[in-house]
Structure formats: C-alpha cells, structure tokens
Amino acid sequence: MSFVDGVLARVPQPFRALALRHHELIKFAIVGGTTMIFDLAIFYSLSLTILEEKPVVAKVLSGILATVLSYILNREWSFKNRGGRERHHEALLFFTISGIGVLLAAAPLWIANNVFDIRANQENLTTLVVVDFVLNYIIGNLLQMVFRFWALRRFAFPDENVHIIDPDLVDEAVEEEFGHS
C-alpha cells in the first residue's frame, strides 16, 4: 500500500470522498507549500545578504527558481492525469502563467517599496523581515495561487485527458480499493 493510500484509508468517509473529488487542488496546495518554503529560503538568503538593497530582485530570482521546481512537481504529480498538449507547448504555457504569477507575487513588495518607500522608514531588521514575509508570502502568494490554479487547469493542463471521478461512484471505489464494506 502506498503512503497516499495509507493516509487516505485513515481519513473518515465523508472527508475521503471530498478529498478524492478535489485531489488536484490538494496536490496543488502541497506543491505550493513545498515551493513556498523553497522560495522563502532563497529569498531570505538573497535579501539578507548580497541583495539587501534590492528585495524585489531577490523575490523575482527566488520566484523563478521556485517556478522551475513547481513545474516539475505539478507536471509529474498534481496534474499528471491531465494534458493533451505536447510537452514543449505545455512547458511554455506553464512558465508564461507562472511568470505572471511571479509578477503578481512581487507586486505587493514593489508597491510597498516604490510607492510607499517602506524601506526608507525602517531601521529594524526584524520589522523588515516581517513586512517582507506578509507582502511576499501571504498577500503575494495568495494572489499568485488563485491565478495560477485557474490558469494552469484552464490552459497548461487542460481537461482533455483528465480522469473524471463520478461523485456517486467514489464511495464504492474507495470501499473496493481499501477492502471496506
């Protein structure tokens, strides 16, 4: 039994059916959490050292690297049952959509620094770290996440080859698969 099957077997029935219906969103969120931690580590490594005066550049670089990881994980796991496009076309759409997402994620930080000049008024490093976190990883990532989930499902990984799960058959399939009666 795989790890995912083992976890799914322990989930109470009403939630198990819900998880099966929304499995792409759950996988997308797990990939997003993983790449967010990756992005966060790179952003703070850059913005607290060599790019201290250029946090937006640090954010864009960390966003690009996280996007590459995101493509690999989403292609091979989150949306593996979708497709219908040639790999190079799919990759081009993914990176275009993700590029827009990186810009959306960097927008709150850019506005705070260039419109409101937030760094000029802050001398406390802790305050800057907290403000950067809120702007980048809460506001920016929420904007990016909503846009990317919609656009990736719509354009990069379309419905053409998706295996649709009939909600009425979910209970029977789960019971059959896990030997429950």
Side-chain angles (χ1 to χ4, degrees):
M1 178 184 294
S2 74
F3 174 74
V4 173
D5 290 341
V7 169
L8 208 56
R10 290 179 180 82
V11 174
Q13 182 49 39
F15 298 112
R16 186 179 316 143
L18 186 65
L20 286 170
R21 281 188 201 103
H22 300 289
H23 67 281
E24 284 182 340
L25 178 61
I26 293 167
K27 288 178 178 181
F28 182 79
I30 292 169
V31 167
T34 303
T35 56
M36 180 182 140
I37 292 167
F38 181 78
D39 185 336
L40 188 113
I42 292 169
F43 171 73
Y44 281 116
S45 296
L46 293 173
S47 69
L48 295 176
T49 58
I50 60 175
L51 292 174
E52 188 174 358
E53 296 299 317
K54 299 191 178 282
V56 176
V57 173
K59 177 58 187 158
V60 170
L61 288 174
S62 68
I64 290 169
L65 293 172
T67 299
V68 171
L69 178 61
S70 177
Y71 175 69
I72 294 165
L73 295 175
N74 277 306
R75 171 74 182 106
E76 298 302 323
W77 190 52
S78 301
F79 300 118
K80 75 177 181 179
N81 294 326
R82 290 178 166 263
R85 299 191 187 284
E86 293 181 29
R87 182 73 54 111
H88 69 279
H89 188 223
E90 175 187 272
L92 177 65
L93 287 168
F94 183 92
F95 287 111
T96 300
I97 290 165
S98 294
I100 294 167
V102 168
L103 294 175
L104 284 171
L109 186 63
W110 184 87
I111 291 167
N113 281 294
N114 295 303
V115 175
F116 298 112
D117 203 21
I118 198 167
R119 277 196 153 38
N121 301 328
Q122 295 298 324
E123 306 239 349
N124 185 348
L125 179 63
T126 304
T127 304
L128 283 176
V129 168
V130 170
V131 168
D132 285 348
F133 181 82
V134 169
L135 293 171
N136 280 331
Y137 296 101
I138 296 177
I139 298 169
N141 272 357
L142 284 174
L143 290 170
Q144 163 174 240
M145 181 184 64
V146 170
F147 169 74
R148 286 183 68 233
F149 185 70
W150 169 79
L152 289 175
R153 286 180 48 136
R154 175 92 167 100
F155 300 110
F157 305 110
D159 285 340
E160 290 142 8
N161 289 340
V162 72
H163 301 290
I164 298 172
I165 299 173
D166 181 358
D168 297 331
L169 299 177
V170 168
D171 293 337
E172 293 172 22
V174 169
E175 286 177 11
E176 238 176 68
E177 185 173 337
F178 295 109
H180 299 122
S181 51

